[in-house]
């Protein structure tokens, strides 16, 4: 590829030194060219800073060596960076907060990392039309707080909401705790401004997609095409989002404790069969709860192998009836106990345990995070399969899940520096992907394909669909400038 600075290390030490010197000289020349092309930009070239900007939270995904990084402050600057990079065939990898879990924001060799986290302004909150216009670096929870002041609500709430950015959420079509009832990020994106090239004109063209109206079917839905594209079509510089009125009822929480993951999964399936619709239905296993307690000392006493948390936000008698029905389903499925709570502080503390589970487990060692989604009726069987695969490979697996919509997150934990455990975990990871596909599911429900799931995606979709996807990529990005090698890229 044009942007790769490969070094032939098969020769003598002198040859390797000469090649490395040539690489260094070529890098310096390229950086000088970029500085000249972007006089108002601050290029980051410090190796330690580049290393931190060059990868997301997918610890096991490979990352290349970037040429430089730019901390963009405006759409105009993004466009200038893309034009300069396109002229020199330097790939562009966009990042926000770097909270991704699939390697989708990892650098490729010789790229410019385009950091848009400083583009963090909420440009508009339209209370009459229930929408907001934001830059990509706005943090999810900051948007929620801002619209709440107007009696409005932005529902998508990934567990990383206190840190993750809206641009990253859009790029991966993030879900979260409330997506069971209220949908995922795609359901709230009305329009985008993107910097792209290809059929839109020269690279660096700013293009507006979508609309501000509630309905609209003018042409193909290019907005939805960009949602979940992981930065492979262009750079998102502005997002128009649908909002909802803020919930008026104090939510009720139903907690159930179970003596096995499979029993908890059976309770999820029963809730689904009975047509109950909690706003959230989350699962944590004992390992997750113990990790959070050891870290934060919240006074959690698991006393069970798994716990289900259901949130009900229907008002009045309807909410009370639904909460009682969910508790009854938990009990009929074999819960050790099931209780209801209307204490907002207590309820939020329980859901904080769910949000803290991943960072708590990261403290124990390298974590390889799965993101499987299966039909809700298949949840009990898939949970049993996860346990069986973990036992057979000798891999410690902790499980959290957006269980209500079948989105399971087995977390494969290894000891630092244990290469044999790492190999076993990677084998278990790939087997889990196959098991999800066999159950009629998908290899990723919300984290994206990035680098870690490319093989699994090809197995799931088949050659014909993958060929169509590659054709779309080539059409919209003929130079393969934007985040090359990700999603549809070959291993």
């Amino acid at each position: 590829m044009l942007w790769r600075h490969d070094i032939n290390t098969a020769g003598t030490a002198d040859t390797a030194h000469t090649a490395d010197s040539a690489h260094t000289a070529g890098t310096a020349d390229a950086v000088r060219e970029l500085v000249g092309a972007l006089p108002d930009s601050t290029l980051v070239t410090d190796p330690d800073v580049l290393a931190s900007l060059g990868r997301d939270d997918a610890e096991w995904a490979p990352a290349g060596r970037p040429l430089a990084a730019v901390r963009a402050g405006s759409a105009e600057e993004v466009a200038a960076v893309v034009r300069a990079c396109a002229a020199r065939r330097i790939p562009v990898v966009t990042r926000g907060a770097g909270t991704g879990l699939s390697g989708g924001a990892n650098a490729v060799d010789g790229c410019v990392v385009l950091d848009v986290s400083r583009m963090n302004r909420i440009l508009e909150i339209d209370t009459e039309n229930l929408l907001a216009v934001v830059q990509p670096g706005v943090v999810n929870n900051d948007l929620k707080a801002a619209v709440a002041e107007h009696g409005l609500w932005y529902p998508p709430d990934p567990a990383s909401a206190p840190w993750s950015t809206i641009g990253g959420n859009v790029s991966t079509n993030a879900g979260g705790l409330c997506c069971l009832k209220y949908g995922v990020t795609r359901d709230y994106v009305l329009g985008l401004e993107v910097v792209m090239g290809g059929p839109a004109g020269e690279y660096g063209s700013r293009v507006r997609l979508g609309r501000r109206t509630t309905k609209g079917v003018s042409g193909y839905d290019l907005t939805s095409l960009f949602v979940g594209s992981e930065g492979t079509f262009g750079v998102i510089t502005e997002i128009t989002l649908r909002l909802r009125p803020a919930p008026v009822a104090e939510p009720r929480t139903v907690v159930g404790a179970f003596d096995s993951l499979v029993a908890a999964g059976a309770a999820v399936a029963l809730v689904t069969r009975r047509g109950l619709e909690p706003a959230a239905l989350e699962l944590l296993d004992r390992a997750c709860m113990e990790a959070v307690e050891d870290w934060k000392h919240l006074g959690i006493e698991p006393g069970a192998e798994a716990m289900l948390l259901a949130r009900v936000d229907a008002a009045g008698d309807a909410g009370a009836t639904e909460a009682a029905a969910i508790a009854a389903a938990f009990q009929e499925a074999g819960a050790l106990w099931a209780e209801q709570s209307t204490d907002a502080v207590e309820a939020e503390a329980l859901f904080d345990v769910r949000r803290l589970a991943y960072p708590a487990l990261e403290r124990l060692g390298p974590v390889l995070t799965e993101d499987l989604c299966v039909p809700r009726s298949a949840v009990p069987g898939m949970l049993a399969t996860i346990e069986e695969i973990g036992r057979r490979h000798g891999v410690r697996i902790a499980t959290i899940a957006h269980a209500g919509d079948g989105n399971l997150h087995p977390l494969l934990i290894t000891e630092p520096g244990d290469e044999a455990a790492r190999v076993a975990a990677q084998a278990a990871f790939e087997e889990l992907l196959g098991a999800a596909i066999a159950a009629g599911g998908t290899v990723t429900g919300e984290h994206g394909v990035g680098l870690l799931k490319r093989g699994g995606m090809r197995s799931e979709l088949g050659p014909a669909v993958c060929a169509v996807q590659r054709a779309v990529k080539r059409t919209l990005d003929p130079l393969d400038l934007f985040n090359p090698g990700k999603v549809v890229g070959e291993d």
Side-chain angles (χ1 to χ4, degrees), residues 2 20 54 137 141 146 172 190 197-198 271 293 337 363 374 391 394 406 426 443 465:
L2 290 173
D20 195 50
N141 269 4
T172 59
L190 292 170
V271 168
E293 178 60 19
W337 52 263
R363 297 172 67 248
V374 298
R391 283 193 301 269
Q426 288 175 322
V443 299
V465 172

Side-chain angles (χ1 to χ4, degrees), residues 29 81 112 283 318 381 384 442:
D29 289 343
V81 171
V112 165
L283 178 146
T442 178

Side-chain angles (χ1 to χ4, degrees), residues 446-472:
E446 59 184 0
H447 293 169
V449 173
L451 289 169
L452 293 180
K453 297 293 183 75
R454 289 177 300 173
M457 184 195 75
R458 290 195 289 271
S459 296
E460 176 188 335
L461 300 182
V465 172
C466 287
V468 172
Q469 295 207 6
R470 287 192 294 271
V472 173

Side-chain angles (χ1 to χ4, degrees), residues 193-433:
E193 180 191 73
V194 297
V195 172
M196 55 185 298
E202 70 167 350
Y203 275 82
S205 298
R206 293 168 64 183
V207 180
R208 288 197 172 274
L209 307 174
R211 61 193 191 281
R212 290 172 63 99
T213 55
T214 303
K215 297 166 68 175
V217 289
S218 295
Y220 299 124
D221 188 356
L222 298 179
T223 303
S224 290
L225 181 63
F226 270 76
V227 177
S229 63
E230 301 186 43
T232 58
F233 297 151
V235 183
I236 296 170
T237 54
E238 187 180 288
I239 307 146
T240 302
L241 297 166
R242 186 195 317 271
L243 304 175
R244 297 177 64 100
V248 295
E250 198 67 54
R252 300 169 183 270
T253 300
V254 183
V255 185
F258 298 83
D259 61 6
S260 72
L261 275 177
V262 175
V268 171
L270 184 56
V271 168
T272 299
R273 284 200 303 273
R274 291 187 173 172
L276 301 171
E277 194 177 29
L281 181 53
E282 298 292 307
L283 178 146
L284 302 93
D285 72 1
R286 177 189 284 273
C288 295
M289 291 183 280
E290 289 178 343
V292 173
E293 178 60 19
D294 289 345
W295 180 28
K296 293 295 185 179
H297 307 293
L298 301 178
I300 306 164
E301 296 181 6
E305 292 302 312
M307 181 167 67
L308 287 178
L309 301 174
R311 174 175 286 165
V312 175
D313 61 1
D317 291 343
T321 299
E322 186 173 25
I326 291 171
F330 286 2
Q331 290 169 331
E332 289 181 39
L336 300 172
W337 52 263
E339 296 178 359
Q340 300 181 49
S341 173
T342 56
D343 184 316
V345 174
E346 179 183 69
E348 196 55 36
L350 287 168
F351 278 93
D352 279 345
V353 174
R354 166 62 181 87
R355 295 186 182 96
L356 291 168
Y358 182 78
L361 290 164
E362 276 190 311
R363 297 172 67 248
L364 305 180
V367 177
L368 183 55
T369 306
E370 271 288 12
D371 173 36
L372 313 169
C373 194
V374 298
R376 286 178 283 189
S377 60
V379 167
M382 191 66 213
L383 288 170
T385 298
I386 290 169
E387 291 187 314
E388 189 275 327
I389 289 174
R391 283 193 301 269
R392 182 155 38 80
H393 287 275
V395 175
R396 181 182 179 187
I397 300 180
T399 300
I400 54 179
H402 307 305
D405 55 17
N407 191 185
L408 311 178
H409 298 316
L411 307 173
L412 294 78
I413 306 163
T414 62
E415 291 293 329
D418 189 336
E419 185 60 26
R422 183 185 182 94
V423 170
Q426 288 175 322
F429 180 90
E430 295 299 329
E431 192 169 336
L432 287 167
L433 297 181

